[in-house]
Amino acid sequence: MAESIVMTAEPFPVARVAPEVGDVAPDFTLPDQYGQQITPATWRGDRNVAVVFYPFAFSGICTGELREIRDTLEDFQHDGIQVLAISCDPVPALRAWADQEGYFFPLLSDFWPHGEVARAFGVFHEDGGFATRGTFLLDRDGVIRWRLLNGPGDARDFGGYRDALAGLRADASRADASRA
């Protein structure tokens, strides 16, 4: 029996509503472009995690967005944060794309079971069979502290991400100072 599609406030059909700010993010394990199994739980208690869903490797908007992450990696991945980019593309396609573009952060494959993680985050486009653009910033406890949802053809603005990350850094600094 097919899942029913629920229309959310976003302009695309998704199988589930995306988790809200303040919710614990769904846990998952997916292979990266090298076939290594990656889970955000690896960084729990140690780093914030940016989970960035995108529709397709090698497509124009997706390439531009991931180039922005690559070219300003210090904003997206450093000792306090880990970026995980996720699509429903198979591992070999992600490896070829990463090699071509010089992406040195994990590109995760939600290929099989097809779109399972994208569904858990409420960003799987049921009619198209791909992840839409969803960005989730998780704190060190795996709680969603910021999110941005865009339709497939709408490039995201990472300005809000940078502001949210600055807030998480400030929170972490205060927590570290109170433990000292």
Side-chain angles (χ1 to χ4, degrees):
M1 185 164 135
E3 284 188 74
S4 62
I5 294 177
V6 177
M7 293 303 289
T8 67
E10 291 75 32
F12 46 87
V14 294
R16 295 187 185 123
V17 175
E20 298 288 336
V21 170
D23 292 346
V24 174
D27 200 17
F28 60 88
T29 301
L30 292 172
D32 70 5
Q33 67 266 38
Y34 304 107
Q36 300 293 322
Q37 296 296 313
I38 305 291
T39 179
T42 300
W43 297 283
R44 189 96 7 101
D46 183 47
R47 289 185 183 189
N48 302 304
V49 176
V51 179
V52 180
F53 289 92
Y54 60 95
F56 299 109
F58 297 102
S59 63
I61 295 173
C62 299
T63 298
E65 288 179 334
L66 268 65
R67 282 178 182 164
E68 181 175 354
I69 293 172
R70 178 198 66 201
D71 295 346
T72 59
L73 198 55
E74 66 278 358
D75 290 345
F76 290 91
Q77 184 170 299
H78 51 77
D79 60 346
I81 187 150
Q82 175 65 50
V83 65
L84 303 175
I86 304 174
S87 75
C88 295
D89 293 302
V91 169
L94 295 179
R95 175 67 186 265
W97 194 40
D99 289 349
Q100 174 182 307
E101 294 293 331
Y103 299 142
F104 298 107
F105 47 87
L107 303 182
L108 306 183
S109 175
D110 193 14
F111 184 71
W112 199 257
H114 193 69
E116 180 177 78
V117 174
R119 278 186 185 91
F121 277 85
V123 296
F124 187 74
H125 191 289
E126 292 292 340
D127 294 339
F130 56 86
T132 58
R133 294 179 204 292
T135 311
F136 299 84
L137 184 56
L138 316 182
D139 69 13
R140 293 175 182 192
D141 296 320
V143 175
I144 298 169
R145 294 298 174 199
W146 179 83
R147 74 175 194 173
L148 176 66
L149 305 173
N150 294 70
D154 300 325
R156 67 193 104 202
D157 175 5
F158 286 112
Y161 166 83
R162 289 179 178 93
D163 293 342
L165 183 57
L168 281 177
R169 284 182 184 144
D171 291 347
S173 293
R174 283 191 293 275
D176 290 346
S178 70
R179 284 192 290 256

